[in-house]
Amino acid sequence: MEQKEKELQLQTRAYTVEEIATILHIGRSSAYTLVKKGCFKSVRIGTAIPISRKSFDEWLDQFDL
């Protein structure tokens, strides 16, 4: 990954569903289920579903992992 891509990734305010799945070590369909349940803030933009990084991090922090 190039330096610019790494910097952009650090600055982004949203995760993708695939990133959520990777972070949680779950499958994509399970990650989509969490999005559909409204566990964290997300918005559909065309086919993309960006997930609020802040909302996801707060949701994950409640589990004391």
Side-chain angles (χ1 to χ4, degrees):
M1 188 179 298
E2 292 182 28
Q3 183 64 26
K4 287 184 181 182
E5 290 176 349
K6 287 181 183 178
E7 290 175 9
L8 182 60
Q9 190 175 16
L10 291 174
Q11 295 172 358
T12 186
R13 295 182 60 188
Y15 289 116
T16 64
V17 175
E18 289 77 13
E19 289 172 325
I20 296 298
T22 300
I23 291 166
L24 297 175
H25 304 288
I26 60 175
R28 278 184 20 190
S29 61
S30 295
Y32 277 105
T33 299
L34 292 173
V35 170
K36 287 180 186 177
K37 285 183 175 180
C39 292
F40 23 80
K41 295 179 183 177
S42 64
V43 61
R44 180 177 288 276
I45 303 172
T47 59
I49 306 174
I51 299 158
S52 162
R53 185 176 289 261
K54 180 180 177 187
S55 174
F56 174 77
D57 291 343
E58 288 173 354
W59 173 81
L60 188 59
D61 286 345
Q62 74 180 342
F63 297 109
D64 294 327
L65 299 176

